[in-house]
Amino acid sequence: MIKVQNLTKKYGAFTAVDDISFDVGSGEIFAFLGPNGAGKSTTIKMLTTLVHPTSGTLAIDGHDPVRHPEQVRRTFGIVFQDPSLDDELTAWENMEFHGVLYDVPDALRRERIEQLLDFVDLSDRKDSLVKEFSGGMKRRLEIARGLLHHPKIIFLDEPTLGLDPQTRNHMWEYLKKLNESEGTTIFFTTHYMEEADKIAQRIAIIDHGKIIAVGTSADLQSQTGTKSLEEAFLALTGRTIRDEAASSKDMMRNMGKLWRR
Ligand code: ADP
């Protein structure tokens, strides 16, 4: 479903994604983990047609995001860190707009919007303007919207950040159900190791733009002689997943590089 070969993205002299290759099978649940600034979002942006690669090849369900962005956009749904909802519309209108954009037929669209708003516990707020929503409510609506056109692949970039544990569990349950019933491929990043451990069938670890390990959680643990995914991650990257200090050092270094360009 996803094929990535020797993919590289440079911003000026700085290499954000450095010659990575991996495949994700149809119907697979795949986690993409790495410390802040590792290149996860840049990779997702290339997979989803938002950023052009500097070099390498990509295929999403057999289509090249650079040459056939329209075909690629039809295959996936996306949930980003930054909400992209229209604040001046209601929850229902945001869903409706998305459904029309993706040609979901009228009756089916209404049915799914109802189901999905119910799933994210927003049914009773369906007619409220999104600008009145809390951050967590917006994220839940964003997730519901990403699922509306039943895409073959769903990309989720830290979908559960800032959500309470109950909503997080609920969300993964729904995604798993979707994966089982529709065979939807799921590609996600998270800062919660236990989520990756519990949900992902395979995990790739990226650091400084390079993929340093791919496998099941058990594979990564046996590779590193550790007893949890968290320990394996630490052994592989030398950092915790939320290494803010390292990340701001990276940022300063990048700024220096850009400045000297
Ligand atoms: P992650 O999602 O793993 O936190 P990103 O893919 O957002 O990492 O960023 C990878 C690196 O590329 C970071 O060092 C970041 O500062 C840099 N980067 C991302 N986008 C840009 C850009 N538009 N211009 C310059 N540098 C960028």
Side-chain angles (χ1 to χ4, degrees), residues 85-100 109 113 117 125-130 141 145 148:
L85 301 160
D86 191 328
D87 268 4
E88 299 295 333
L89 298 180
T90 65
W92 184 279
E93 287 165 345
N94 266 284
M95 295 290 280
E96 179 77 4
F97 185 67
H98 185 83
V100 169
R109 192 168 70 234
I113 294 176
L117 288 179
R125 299 299 303 271
K126 67 180 168 30
D127 297 321
S128 304
L129 292 177
V130 167
L141 180 59
R145 192 184 59 170
L148 182 58

XYZ file of all heavy atoms in Angstrom, residues 85-100 109 113 117 125-130 141 145 148:
236
model
N -9.674 22.517 10.764
C -11.121 22.651 10.679
C -11.484 24.106 10.419
O -10.691 24.999 10.700
C -11.751 22.225 12.011
C -11.459 20.797 12.459
C -11.693 20.654 13.949
C -12.326 19.825 11.679
N -12.689 24.310 9.887
C -13.157 25.671 9.713
C -13.903 26.094 10.980
O -14.974 25.581 11.288
C -14.079 25.746 8.488
C -14.374 27.199 8.120
O -14.430 28.042 9.052
O -14.535 27.487 6.933
N -13.314 27.043 11.695
C -13.847 27.509 12.977
C -15.226 28.155 12.880
O -15.968 28.176 13.843
C -12.898 28.570 13.567
C -11.888 27.943 14.481
O -11.877 26.703 14.587
O -11.112 28.698 15.103
N -15.503 28.713 11.716
C -16.755 29.456 11.551
C -17.915 28.548 11.139
O -19.031 29.008 10.942
C -16.597 30.570 10.507
C -15.545 31.619 10.850
C -15.896 32.439 12.092
O -17.103 32.586 12.384
O -14.964 32.907 12.769
N -17.634 27.252 10.964
C -18.691 26.304 10.624
C -18.988 25.431 11.840
O -18.166 25.325 12.757
C -18.256 25.396 9.460
C -17.956 26.056 8.113
C -17.556 24.991 7.093
C -19.162 26.831 7.592
N -20.152 24.788 11.817
C -20.474 23.858 12.903
C -19.740 22.541 12.654
O -19.178 22.319 11.575
C -21.988 23.552 12.939
O -22.327 22.857 11.725
C -22.818 24.823 13.056
N -19.794 21.663 13.675
C -19.180 20.341 13.546
C -19.786 19.613 12.352
O -19.076 19.066 11.503
C -19.404 19.549 14.831
N -21.122 19.627 12.291
C -21.808 18.931 11.191
C -21.386 19.507 9.844
O -21.085 18.769 8.909
C -23.339 19.022 11.360
C -24.049 18.239 10.313
C -24.324 18.615 9.036
C -24.529 16.896 10.438
N -24.960 17.607 8.351
C -25.105 16.543 9.188
C -24.545 15.960 11.481
C -25.683 15.290 8.965
C -25.139 14.718 11.249
C -25.692 14.394 10.000
N -21.340 20.833 9.745
C -20.978 21.461 8.470
C -19.553 21.117 8.040
O -19.289 20.911 6.856
C -21.135 22.981 8.570
C -22.587 23.420 8.580
C -22.784 24.859 9.050
O -21.845 25.461 9.645
O -23.889 25.376 8.851
N -18.653 21.030 9.004
C -17.286 20.632 8.673
C -17.268 19.229 8.069
O -16.555 18.963 7.098
C -16.389 20.665 9.916
C -15.649 21.980 10.071
O -14.672 22.246 9.372
N -16.129 22.825 10.975
N -18.047 18.338 8.661
C -18.127 16.957 8.168
C -18.771 16.942 6.774
O -18.268 16.303 5.851
C -18.968 16.102 9.119
C -18.392 15.920 10.508
S -16.914 14.888 10.545
C -17.620 13.257 10.478
N -19.866 17.650 6.657
C -20.630 17.716 5.417
C -19.746 18.216 4.257
O -19.706 17.630 3.188
C -21.814 18.681 5.660
C -22.726 18.924 4.506
C -23.711 17.784 4.247
O -23.735 16.824 5.034
O -24.409 17.868 3.225
N -19.032 19.261 4.522
C -18.157 19.884 3.531
C -17.119 18.875 3.023
O -16.891 18.722 1.835
C -17.481 21.098 4.169
C -16.645 21.894 3.228
C -17.235 22.603 2.183
C -15.266 21.954 3.379
C -16.461 23.343 1.309
C -14.477 22.694 2.505
C -15.089 23.383 1.468
N -16.538 18.165 3.965
C -15.526 17.166 3.631
C -16.150 16.028 2.800
O -15.578 15.580 1.811
C -14.925 16.607 4.920
C -13.794 15.659 4.704
N -12.500 16.075 4.500
C -13.766 14.309 4.653
C -11.724 15.024 4.332
N -12.464 13.933 4.433
N -17.337 15.590 3.213
C -18.029 14.500 2.516
C -18.382 14.869 1.076
O -18.253 14.058 0.165
N -18.792 16.114 0.881
C -19.140 16.580 -0.464
C -17.873 16.630 -1.321
O -17.837 16.171 -2.458
C -19.833 17.969 -0.411
C -19.960 18.577 -1.799
C -21.195 17.854 0.268
N -23.573 9.680 3.382
C -22.854 10.759 4.049
C -23.531 11.098 5.378
O -22.873 11.165 6.420
C -22.814 11.981 3.129
C -21.867 13.065 3.587
C -21.659 14.100 2.516
N -22.837 14.916 2.283
C -23.420 15.095 1.100
N -22.945 14.521 0.021
N -24.497 15.853 0.990
N -21.833 10.521 8.991
C -21.577 11.690 9.841
C -22.193 11.438 11.212
O -21.547 11.667 12.244
C -22.109 13.003 9.208
C -21.334 13.334 7.925
C -22.002 14.166 10.197
C -21.822 14.551 7.164
N -19.838 11.179 14.463
C -19.971 12.178 15.527
C -20.344 11.490 16.839
O -19.877 11.874 17.917
C -21.002 13.248 15.159
C -20.563 14.237 14.076
C -21.676 15.226 13.770
C -19.296 14.991 14.474
N -23.197 18.114 20.183
C -22.625 19.419 19.830
C -22.559 19.612 18.320
O -21.834 20.477 17.841
C -21.209 19.547 20.431
C -21.139 19.463 21.941
C -21.926 20.566 22.641
N -21.502 21.905 22.231
C -20.532 22.595 22.834
N -19.927 22.098 23.889
N -20.194 23.797 22.418
N -23.284 18.790 17.589
C -23.116 18.804 16.137
C -23.453 20.154 15.499
O -22.894 20.495 14.469
C -23.902 17.670 15.483
C -25.415 17.760 15.560
C -25.973 16.540 14.845
C -27.400 16.220 14.986
N -28.440 17.148 15.192
N -24.333 20.916 16.156
C -24.712 22.207 15.573
C -23.985 23.397 16.196
O -24.333 24.541 15.942
C -26.231 22.388 15.669
C -26.961 21.323 14.862
O -26.468 20.998 13.755
O -27.979 20.794 15.331
N -22.979 23.092 17.017
C -22.185 24.190 17.602
C -21.056 24.578 16.655
O -20.498 23.722 15.954
C -21.544 23.753 18.924
O -22.520 23.299 19.808
N -20.712 25.851 16.711
C -19.582 26.320 15.895
C -18.293 25.753 16.465
O -18.106 25.679 17.684
C -19.510 27.845 15.911
C -20.644 28.582 15.198
C -20.483 30.088 15.353
C -20.700 28.200 13.715
N -17.395 25.361 15.593
C -16.145 24.738 16.025
C -15.304 25.709 16.875
O -14.557 25.292 17.746
C -15.371 24.198 14.795
C -13.948 23.831 15.140
C -16.102 22.989 14.226
N -13.097 15.807 16.419
C -13.837 16.098 15.183
C -12.939 15.877 13.960
O -13.369 15.344 12.938
C -14.353 17.544 15.214
C -15.149 17.996 13.994
C -16.381 17.119 13.780
C -15.580 19.459 14.131
N -13.627 13.385 10.894
C -13.634 13.877 9.522
C -12.672 13.088 8.624
O -12.987 12.772 7.479
C -13.266 15.364 9.509
C -13.534 16.012 8.183
C -13.083 17.437 8.164
N -11.653 17.527 8.448
C -10.934 18.621 8.309
N -11.514 19.729 7.906
N -9.648 18.625 8.581
N -14.274 9.930 7.282
C -15.586 10.035 6.640
C -15.666 9.373 5.270
O -16.661 8.735 4.935
C -15.989 11.514 6.555
C -17.345 11.829 5.966
C -18.459 11.153 6.736
C -17.580 13.335 5.960
